[in-house]
Amino acid sequence: MAEKTPIFALKNVHLSFGTHSLFQGLNIYVGKGDKICLIGRNGSGKSTLLKVIAGQMEPDIGERFVQPNTKIAYMPQEEDFSRYTTLKEVILSGLPDSHKDETYKADILIDALDISAMQNPHTASGGERKKTALARALIGEPDLLLLDEPTNHLDIATIEKLEKIIQEHTGAIIIISHDRRFLTKISNSTIWLDRGIAHLSDKGYASFEEWQEQIINQEIIEQKNLNKRIAEETEWLHKGVTARRKRNMGRLRRLQQLRLERKEQIKQTASVNLQIDKGLIQSKMITEAKKISKSFGDRTLIQDFSIRILRGNKIGIVGPNGAGKTTLIKLLTKRLEPDSGSVRIAKNLEEAYFDQNRISLDPNKTLWKTLCPEGDHIFVRGHFRHVVSYLKDFLFTSAQANTPVNALSGGEKNRLMLAVALAKPSNFLVLDEPTNDLDMDTLDLLQEVLDEYEGTVLIVSHDRDFLDKVATSLLYMSGNGTVIEHVGTYTQLLDNLKQAENKQKNTNRSEKMAKSQNTVAKQEKSCSNKNKLTFTEAHLLKELPTKIDKQTILVQQIQQKLEQPDIYTDTEKLLTTTRQLHQAQKALEELENTWLELQIKAEETN
């Protein structure tokens, strides 16, 4: 990145909060067209760095260079929409003052991201709000776009749309995200923020782990040569990086075995009478649903769904936003009653529930008191642990133990929620969007914990890489009431869905062609039985080629008007011209069809 002429740069930047030094001599260069992923552990300062780049925060020391006329747009993790009455108003607020008449750009983004434009922001879902925030950042066509966790709350279809938008965006982009698959697809450069230092690479996230390991190994060698004690944090990080591939391979083998077992369980369940089965399967049963349905108003979310979940299953629930994933979890855990059908759960079930809204955290309590209201030890998985030691398992320092919850970042709060959920004695773990705001190291930690967890897990998530490495099977909810279980990876499921969609398109196309051919055959048969062209028809057949040529020229002239940039500054003129083009194209099509019919008739009668 440093070899390009930068459109933006930070030079020798220092920033501290109290006695805590966040950045030390930080240097960053951003060139035109860079697609940069910003990587770092929670609390390393990634979001703060984006604010410095956006100009919303001043460093203590250092220079901030912005090439003249460079437009910067910034999308934070959480947006304040309190001043607006509709989502479209929010999007329009992103237009620069000099381009306030370009409101048509909002309509383009609303259509591209499928946003409910007239919805009140206060009642909009997390996914709708996130799409709106993205549209507001994009509408001004910035030269440098800053996105902080843009994939949070988005379903896979919207994430894929965002991938395409980013790939086609001609400006530079800096993105913070925990979604490995997303970063691999869109990034061509990397900034790794580690203990106040920004490491720069001209390769994308696909090369990150190998590059990161090289840097850490070199650092350890240098520290040993200087006879310094290796810092505890560096040692932990080194162990995490160098052992990751080996651990992943071991987890992958176990996961493949669990998926085979789940396939056999499904076969066995399908082959017995659920009413009378009293064998081994029932003794391992955690929850069982029989022909459950659930509707809200005239919308059916779940229709005649049956499943038996057994001990040790780790089941992911996926599908578009609004499909009913959280509703299904509530049904399977008996937090919500179905309209029809039945759900039963095992006796003595000890459940730990991870709430995506983090409503169970008291913001005024310290981390210590959140985990351990009394004393200094916590009972975890059969034995007592000192609360500080347990917090270190979740990447908190001893100094953070007495920090109030409201001082934590979004990712740190999520990490604390995981610590709370996993500290509870449980054999049934329910995780609703656990990966939002988590950094890569915490995701790896969570994967390891779930791999070692002997109980049953239900997980709602849109993170493809995470589910590929954790889930034994997936429940796919399309939004039309059907729930389909897929044993395999999320990637395989998406490929299967796309193949099915393409197959349906091909079938529809074939049916349409067959219908068209039948119509032509009928026309030909009809023409053969008719008399010769009338005088009027013969005259029209001669005149039609000239009329078609003139109409074709008219269509081309209108299309040229729409290609002029100034037309988009006049909304009324744009709409009128678009309407004229539609009418002209329709008239041309009618002339061509009339000529074809008369030509066929003339040939048949001759």
Side-chain angles (χ1 to χ4, degrees):
M1 291 180 289
E3 294 179 359
K4 297 181 180 180
T5 301
I7 61 170
F8 178 90
L10 292 177
K11 298 180 181 179
N12 195 33
V13 166
H14 295 248
L15 181 63
S16 298
F17 292 120
T19 59
H20 176 58
S21 177
L22 199 59
F23 308 137
Q24 309 159 18
L26 185 143
N27 295 289
I28 288 176
Y29 303 89
V30 181
K32 184 178 180 180
D34 280 340
K35 303 293 189 294
I36 304 169
C37 59
L38 177 54
I39 307 297
R41 285 169 57 183
N42 287 139
S44 63
K46 300 188 299 295
S47 295
T48 301
L49 178 56
L50 282 195
K51 290 178 182 178
V52 172
I53 295 172
Q56 295 189 3
M57 185 176 290
E58 290 290 331
D60 300 329
I61 302 173
E63 298 178 33
R64 178 177 178 270
F65 166 79
V66 183
Q67 194 177 90
N69 300 318
T70 296
K71 293 182 291 183
I72 299 177
Y74 167 57
M75 189 201 80
Q77 284 189 40
E78 300 294 335
E79 291 271 23
D80 180 12
F81 295 163
S82 59
R83 294 184 295 133
Y84 307 100
T85 57
T86 67
L87 294 181
K88 185 172 182 177
E89 283 183 18
V90 176
I91 298 169
L92 289 171
S93 69
L95 277 172
D97 292 337
S98 58
H99 296 269
K100 287 299 183 183
D101 55 345
E102 297 177 354
T103 56
Y104 68 91
K105 291 182 179 179
D107 296 324
I108 292 172
L109 289 166
I110 287 167
D111 183 62
L113 292 170
D114 193 22
I115 297 171
S116 300
M118 304 314 294
Q119 187 171 1
N120 190 313
H122 306 289
T123 60
S125 66
E128 283 294 320
R129 290 173 63 86
K130 182 65 71 172
K131 289 189 293 184
T132 301
L134 282 166
R136 178 161 74 173
L138 288 163
I139 193 170
E141 299 177 353
D143 303 297
L144 176 56
L145 178 63
L146 310 174
L147 302 176
D148 195 346
E149 293 289 0
T151 62
N152 277 358
H153 306 294
L154 297 186
D155 55 34
I156 187 61
T158 308
I159 290 174
E160 289 180 339
K161 289 178 183 177
L162 178 59
E163 288 171 354
K164 185 176 180 182
I165 288 171
I166 290 174
Q167 288 164 352
E168 294 176 351
H169 186 70
T170 57
I173 302 178
I174 302 179
I175 299 177
I176 299 172
S177 178
H178 64 271
D179 190 326
R180 286 180 165 97
R181 197 70 52 83
F182 172 72
L183 291 179
T184 299
K185 286 187 175 183
I186 59 92
S187 63
N188 59 24
S189 305
T190 304
I191 298 174
W192 176 34
L193 193 59
D194 177 44
R195 288 158 291 165
I197 305 297
H199 302 279
L200 312 181
S201 170
D202 59 0
K203 295 182 180 179
Y205 183 76
S207 305
F208 172 67
E209 290 190 357
E210 182 180 354
W211 171 63
Q212 180 193 40
E213 187 171 357
Q214 291 172 355
I215 292 174
I216 294 173
N217 286 337
Q218 182 61 36
E219 181 180 339
I220 289 174
I221 291 171
E222 290 173 358
Q223 288 182 336
K224 285 183 176 179
N225 290 340
L226 293 171
N227 295 319
K228 289 185 177 180
R229 182 179 64 84
I230 301 174
E232 180 181 346
E233 187 175 357
T234 306
E235 186 177 8
W236 177 90
L237 185 58
H238 174 254
K239 288 179 180 178
V241 172
T242 56
R244 181 177 294 154
R245 294 184 183 87
K246 187 179 294 184
R247 292 199 307 270
N248 282 349
M249 289 304 296
R251 285 207 300 262
L252 180 59
R253 285 191 293 270
R254 286 192 294 275
L255 188 56
Q256 288 172 338
Q257 179 60 38
L258 288 172
R259 284 172 178 156
L260 289 174
E261 291 176 7
R262 182 61 185 166
K263 281 184 179 179
E264 292 302 316
Q265 291 166 3
I266 294 171
K267 289 179 183 177
Q268 191 168 358
T269 302
S271 64
V272 298
N273 186 328
L274 297 181
Q275 297 289 346
I276 62 174
D277 176 36
K278 303 290 184 180
L280 182 61
I281 290 180
Q282 185 171 355
S283 67
K284 293 182 178 180
M285 190 272 293
I286 297 299
T287 182
E288 180 183 55
K290 296 181 182 178
K291 293 187 174 298
I292 59 172
S293 298
K294 188 66 182 178
S295 299
F296 291 97
D298 57 356
R299 187 178 176 209
T300 300
L301 292 179
I302 298 158
Q303 181 70 44
D304 291 332
F305 174 60
S306 299
I307 191 173
R308 174 175 283 173
I309 299 174
L310 307 181
R311 188 173 68 232
N313 291 160
K314 296 179 175 67
I315 297 178
I317 303 177
V318 299
N321 286 335
K325 300 184 293 295
T326 299
T327 298
L328 179 57
I329 275 188
K330 290 180 178 179
L331 289 169
L332 294 176
T333 57
K334 299 203 75 171
R335 283 176 168 77
L336 188 65
E337 289 296 321
D339 297 335
S340 60
S342 63
V343 176
R344 63 179 181 132
I345 60 177
K347 294 180 180 179
N348 302 319
L349 194 64
E350 294 180 297
E351 178 192 296
Y353 194 97
F354 180 89
D355 180 2
Q356 65 171 323
N357 296 316
R358 297 193 283 272
I359 58 173
S360 59
L361 286 179
D362 184 339
N364 298 315
K365 279 188 176 181
T366 64
L367 277 65
W368 184 309
K369 292 300 182 182
T370 298
L371 282 166
C372 189
E374 302 292 336
D376 57 8
H377 280 73
I378 183 171
F379 191 73
V380 181
R381 297 171 198 164
H383 61 278
F384 283 96
R385 296 276 308 278
H386 194 280
V387 64
V388 174
S389 173
Y390 183 64
L391 280 169
K392 286 182 178 179
D393 286 351
F394 290 84
L395 313 182
F396 292 106
T397 65
S398 55
Q400 287 179 291
N402 290 306
T403 300
V405 169
N406 59 20
L408 300 178
S409 68
E412 288 172 325
K413 287 177 182 176
N414 247 5
R415 204 191 307 156
L416 180 60
M417 271 298 301
L418 287 172
V420 172
L422 295 171
K424 296 177 181 178
S426 70
N427 50 24
F428 187 34
L429 184 60
V430 182
L431 304 174
D432 194 352
E433 295 284 7
T435 61
N436 284 350
D437 302 316
L438 294 185
D439 59 27
M440 306 298 185
D441 292 321
T442 311
L443 280 171
D444 286 336
L445 171 67
L446 178 57
Q447 289 169 17
E448 290 183 18
V449 169
L450 294 180
D451 176 58
E452 296 168 359
Y453 186 72
E454 295 181 355
T456 301
V457 185
L458 283 181
I459 313 166
V460 174
S461 179
H462 297 298
D463 192 316
R464 293 158 288 183
D465 185 80
F466 177 75
L467 287 175
D468 280 355
K469 294 176 180 176
V470 169
T472 56
S473 67
L474 301 167
L475 298 178
Y476 174 69
M477 305 182 69
S478 62
N480 63 0
T482 60
V483 184
I484 302 169
E485 183 164 10
H486 166 80
V487 180
T489 68
Y490 197 178
T491 302
Q492 291 168 345
L493 171 63
L494 292 172
D495 289 342
N496 291 346
L497 291 172
K498 287 177 181 177
Q499 288 175 11
E501 183 182 357
N502 291 335
K503 185 177 180 181
Q504 184 62 46
K505 287 180 180 178
N506 291 335
T507 300
N508 293 342
R509 190 179 298 113
S510 298
E511 291 175 352
K512 188 175 181 180
M513 289 177 64
K515 184 177 180 180
S516 176
Q517 290 170 353
N518 289 336
T519 301
V520 172
K522 289 178 181 179
Q523 289 175 342
E524 291 175 348
K525 184 176 180 180
S526 175
C527 287
S528 64
N529 295 328
K530 289 182 180 180
N531 295 326
K532 291 183 178 181
L533 292 175
T534 65
F535 175 80
T536 302
E537 288 174 334
H539 179 71
L540 181 59
L541 184 59
K542 290 180 181 180
E543 295 290 328
L544 275 172
T546 302
K547 291 184 177 181
I548 289 172
D549 289 342
K550 289 182 178 179
Q551 191 66 23
T552 301
I553 292 171
L554 178 60
V555 169
Q556 292 172 347
Q557 289 173 341
I558 299 174
Q559 287 174 331
Q560 288 173 359
K561 289 182 182 179
L562 287 172
E563 292 172 1
Q564 300 301 314
D566 59 344
I567 196 171
Y568 292 96
T569 62
D570 186 337
T571 304
E572 185 176 350
K573 184 178 179 182
L574 174 63
L575 293 174
T576 301
T577 308
T578 303
R579 196 179 304 114
Q580 289 173 348
L581 177 62
H582 176 72
Q583 293 171 348
Q585 289 172 330
K586 184 177 180 181
L588 176 60
E589 184 180 357
E590 290 174 353
L591 288 172
E592 289 174 339
N593 288 339
T594 302
W595 177 85
L596 180 61
E597 291 172 1
L598 293 176
Q599 185 66 26
I600 291 173
K601 183 175 181 180
E603 292 175 355
E604 289 295 328
T605 54
N606 288 334

